[in-house]
Amino acid sequence: MSDPNSPTRFNEEKATYAVRGGGEAPDLQAGVAAIRNVLKTLPVRPGVYRMQDARGDVLYVGKARALKNRVTNYTQVNRLPKRLQRMVAQTRSMTIVTTNNEAEALLLEAQLIKRFRPAYNVLLRDDKSFPFILLRADHQFPRIQKHRGARKIKGNYYGPFASAGSVNNTLNALQKLFLLRSCTDGFFKTRDRPCLLYQIKRCSAPCVGRIGTAEYAELVGDAKDFLAGKSTKVQTKLGVQMTAAAEAMDFELAAVLRDRLKALTFIQGTQAINAEGVGDADVFALASKEGVMGIQAFFIRGGQNWGHRSFFPAHTADVPEDEVLTQFLGQFYEEVPPARTVLLDRELPEGDLLSEALAERNGYKVALSVPQRGDRRRLMEQAKRNAVEALDRRLAESTTQAKLLREVADLFELAEPPDRIEIYDNSHIQGTNALGAMVVAGPEGFRKGQYRKFNIKQAATDDDYAMMREVFGRRFARAQAEDPDRDAGDWPDLVLIDGGRGQLNAVKGVLEDMGIEDVCLVGVAKGPHHGREGREVFHLMDGRELMLPVNSPVLFYLQRLRDEVHRFAIGAHRQKRAKAIGASPLDEVPGIGPARKKALLMHFGTARAVRGASLDDLKKAPGVSAAVAQQVYDFYHAR
C-alpha cells in the first residue's frame, strides 16, 4: 500500500479547480457546457481530472500529460464512443489536480480509482491485500509468520503469494525445513518447556534454550537463502550434513536432516509452473471473449512459483484491451510491490510511463517486457493458456448464474432478473449480544464488501419480530436519505428474510409505514420437517406459500444465500460476544485509557472494588492523578 507521506500523494485543496455546469437532467448539451466552463481556467500541464455528476459522485478519473488538451477531447462528442458520450451527458462538474509530471499523474489516477471506484473506469474487483511471508528482525530469535497489510514491522518480506492457502502450505513446509519459531513474543517469554511444535519437529525450541543464538542465526540465514531462490545451496548443505551425521552414527540427527530434506523436496515439488531461470518476475496475460476480459497473474520469486490468480476487471465493455491491462496494472500495484521484471503478453502504448511510475513509487527500476524466447516465453505461453481456460470457466459459471437469476425472477414474479439480492438474519443467545446481519448477492456472486451488521439498540432482544423491524427501519431510512431516486444501485431488487410469515409481515409493515411498497419481500422458513434440507417454505407478500422440488437448482441457490447470511450473522455474533467477555465495567468511565484502567485494577483487584472506593483511596492508587480519581469517583457516585 502506498505510503501516505509519499511525494505522489497530493493536496487537492491547493491545486483543485471545481466548476459546476447548469442543469440537472443527464443531457449531452449540459455535460459539454460544464466541461467547457472548466476549460476556461485549465492549465496545459500534467495532472488528473475527475468527472462528477449532479450529486457530486465521481463518474470517471483520468490522467493527462497536458490537461487542457486531454479534456478538450470530451467536448468533441461525435468522436467519442457511446460509453463516453453517456459519461459526458451525466457530467456536471470536474475536479482537477495538477502534478509535476505524467508519471505522478498515473500514480494518482490509480489511487483515486481505487478510492472512488467510478462507474466508467476499468476496476480491479479482487483488490484485497495479498499475503506475504515475514521473517522478522526485531528479536534475538526471529519469528516467521504470515503477514497482510502495511509492511511496517521490521524484517524481510517475501511475496506476494496468490492466496492464503499457498502461503500456509509454504509456511508449514518452511517450519519443517528450518525449524524457525512461529509463536508470538508473549508466548515465547512465558515458556518453561518446549511446546507441541518442538515435539512434532517444526520448531527448534529457542524459547527454552534447546538451540543457541548462533545455531538459530544459521537457520535464519538458510531460510533467507531459500526464500531468495538459492534452494540448491540449501539442499546441498543439508545433504552434506546428513551424510556426515550418518557416518558419525548419529542416526537421530541424520533422521532430522532427512525430514528437512523431504520438506525441501515438497516445496520444490509443489511448483506446478516451471520457472527456472526466471528469477523474480510477475507474469500477466490477458484473454478476451464475448465482451468479458480475464487476466492471469503468476508470481515468481527466486525461480519459485508462489501461486497464480485470475482477475476479471469490471467496466471493460468497449474499452481497448491495452487500456484495460494498463489500468489493471496501475491499480494492482497500488497494493502489491512489483517484481523488478514484469512480463506481459503484449506491448503497452504507455509501458514506458508505467515503468517510470512504478520505479518512482517503489524506489527501484521495474522493467516491463514481452518475452520472445526461452524459459520466459514458455512461461508466458502457460500464462496465456491459463487465462483462456479461466475465462472459459468464468463464462460458463456466469451463464449458469444468469439462468438461475432468470428462474428466481420467474419464481417470485420479478420484471427482470435481480441485480441485487439482500438476505437478512438475526443472531443472539437468550437475548444477549443481539445483532442483525445483511449479506448481498448479485450476478457475479456474493458482494462481501457490502455486507452489513446492525447492533440492536432499541428492540427487545428476545423479540425476533422487533429486531427485524429495527434492522429494516434503519437500513431503508438510510437508503431513502442517501439515494431517494434509486439510481446508485444500492436498492435491492429482491429481499430474502430468514423466517416465516411473522417476520415477513413485521418487515412489510415497516416498509409500508415508510411509503416503500415496490420492494419484493420473501420469507424463507423451514418446512414441516425442520431437520430436513429441501423442505423450505417460501412466504410471499400476497399470502401464498411455495415449496420447490428437492432437486431444484433454484432451491439450491436460495439455500446457499440463506446459509451465507447464517454464517455471517453467527460469525459477527461470536465476535461481539468475545469482545463483551473481555470488557470491563471501567470501560464505561470516560477518559480512562488502558494504562489507568490497569493501574486501578492492579491496586484494587476488581472493578467492583474500584466502584466502591472512596475518593481518598482512589487518589492513593499508583499512576492515578487526583483529577482522574475525582473523575472516577464522580462517575460512579453521581449515578
Side-chain angles (χ1 to χ4, degrees), residues 48-68:
V48 174
Y49 57 92
R50 298 204 301 265
M51 292 185 161
Q52 293 137 187
D53 63 14
R55 299 190 309 168
D57 294 335
V58 178
L59 299 169
Y60 183 78
V61 175
K63 62 105 178 72
R65 181 184 305 162
L67 282 166
K68 193 177 188 71

Side-chain angles (χ1 to χ4, degrees), residues 287-294 313-319 321 324 391 395:
S288 177
K289 188 180 293 185
E290 298 178 14
V292 181
M293 296 187 195
H315 307 166
T316 58
D318 302 323
V319 182
E321 293 182 4
V324 170
L391 183 59
L395 290 173

Side-chain angles (χ1 to χ4, degrees), residues 369-388:
S369 64
V370 180
Q372 302 297 327
R373 61 184 68 86
D375 293 333
R376 296 187 176 194
R377 180 64 184 175
R378 286 189 289 274
L379 185 59
M380 180 56 68
E381 292 297 336
Q382 191 169 3
K384 286 183 179 180
R385 187 170 61 254
N386 276 265
V388 172

Side-chain angles (χ1 to χ4, degrees), residues 75 129 163 257 268 453 463 601 616:
T75 64
S129 62
S163 65
L257 293 168
Q268 293 171 332
K453 52 189 176 184
D463 185 342
L601 290 174
D616 290 339

